[in-house]
């Protein structure tokens, strides 16, 4: 049996971690953004992961029928961090109120740690994909 | 051959489960899954020693089928006992990578074994 499910699962992990890396890059890029279209400073964005189940694609329905209903991971939503904003004393800033500017609640070191975690997780999924591919190739070589 | 097929299927399922664990390495409250097959198989063999194969076991009558393997299905179970992360996730990426590599090699060995058995069969059919 050629198993494409493992590769799909690893691909879902690659996609999810790619999206997470994008969001982290966006957080870092906006670490000093004090004006957003919604008004106020930028707020850090958080990616929410959940196991991907219950989708009604043919493959998932078939997988549930034969008992392998594991479908990888999905990003359910991207939410804003409602944590407190940083107040920085900078009276020359045009956005300053009483000399203090509200800065985004982006912590660079947190973002860097998240970035390393995300890229390691990406690598792990890539290795899982390779392993699944190699196993399929081994299966194709049976009897040769 | 039948046993090899069952083991290959178990390894395929195991690969899916490990891939799923790795994909969900950052999912809050996700609990890792694993596949139980070899232990169940061992239990079934211990419970019914007549089904045990090997040199010591010689079938005495036609009703005593040697190739009648115990009917054991690889089963997915969830490990809720351990905790690794503070978000309720218990996927240890290092051990998952070890497991996935081990499973891959196991699959390769089984596939090669099937191949070589088929080759021997071919040699026997063609008479060398």
């Amino acid at each position: 049996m050629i198993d494409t499910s493992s590769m799909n699962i690893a691909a879902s992990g690659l996609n999810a971690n790619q999206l997470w890396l994008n969001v982290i890059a966006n957080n870092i890029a906006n670490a000093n953004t004090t004006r957003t279209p919604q008004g106020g400073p930028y707020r850090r964005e958080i990616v929410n992961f959940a196991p991907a189940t219950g989708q009604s694609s043919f493959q998932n329905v078939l997988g549930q029928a034969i008992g392998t209903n594991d479908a990888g991971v999905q990003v359910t939503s991207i939410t804003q961090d409602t944590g407190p904003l940083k107040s920085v004393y900078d009276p020359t800033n045009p956005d300053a109120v009483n000399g203090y500017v509200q800065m985004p609640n982006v912590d660079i070191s947190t973002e860097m740690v998240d970035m390393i975690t995300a890229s390691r997780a990406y690598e792990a999924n890539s290795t899982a994909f390779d392993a699944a591919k190699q196993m399929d190739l081994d299966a194709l070589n049976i009897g040769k | 051959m039948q046993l090899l097929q069952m083991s290959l299927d178990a390894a395929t399922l195991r690969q899916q489960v490990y891939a799923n664990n790795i994909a969900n390495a950052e999912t809050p409250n996700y609990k890792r899954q694993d596949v139980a097959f070899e232990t169940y198989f061992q239990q079934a063999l211990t419970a019914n020693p007549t089904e045990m194969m090997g040199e010591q076991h010689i079938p005495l009558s036609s009703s005593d089928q040697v190739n009648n393997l115990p009917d054991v299905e690889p089963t997915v179970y969830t490990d809720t006992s351990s905790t690794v992360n503070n978000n309720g996730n218990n996927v240890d990426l290092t051990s998952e990578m070890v497991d996935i590599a081990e499973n891959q090699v196991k699959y390769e060995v089984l596939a090669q074994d099937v191949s070589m058995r088929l080759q021997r069969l071919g040699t026997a059919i063609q008479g060398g």
Side-chain angles (χ1 to χ4, degrees), chain A residues 3 6 72 134-135 138 143, chain B residues 12 16 20 24 104 107-108 115:
Chain A
D3 162 44
S6 295
Q134 193 55 49
M135 279 168 67
D138 289 339
Chain B
T12 307
Q16 283 172 20
N20 201 39
N24 283 293
Q104 191 192 347
Y107 191 89
E108 207 174 314
S115 261

Side-chain angles (χ1 to χ4, degrees), chain B residues 10-51:
Chain B
T12 307
L13 180 65
R14 199 164 269 155
Q15 176 71 19
Q16 283 172 20
V17 168
Y18 292 159
N20 201 39
N21 286 343
I22 292 169
N24 283 293
E26 304 299 328
T27 307
N29 297 318
Y30 177 84
K31 297 290 181 195
R32 76 175 295 269
Q33 293 181 319
D34 210 327
V35 175
F37 177 63
E38 283 84 356
T39 44
Y40 285 176
F41 207 84
Q42 186 77 41
Q43 279 166 11
L45 287 178
T46 327
N48 300 309
T50 49
E51 288 173 339

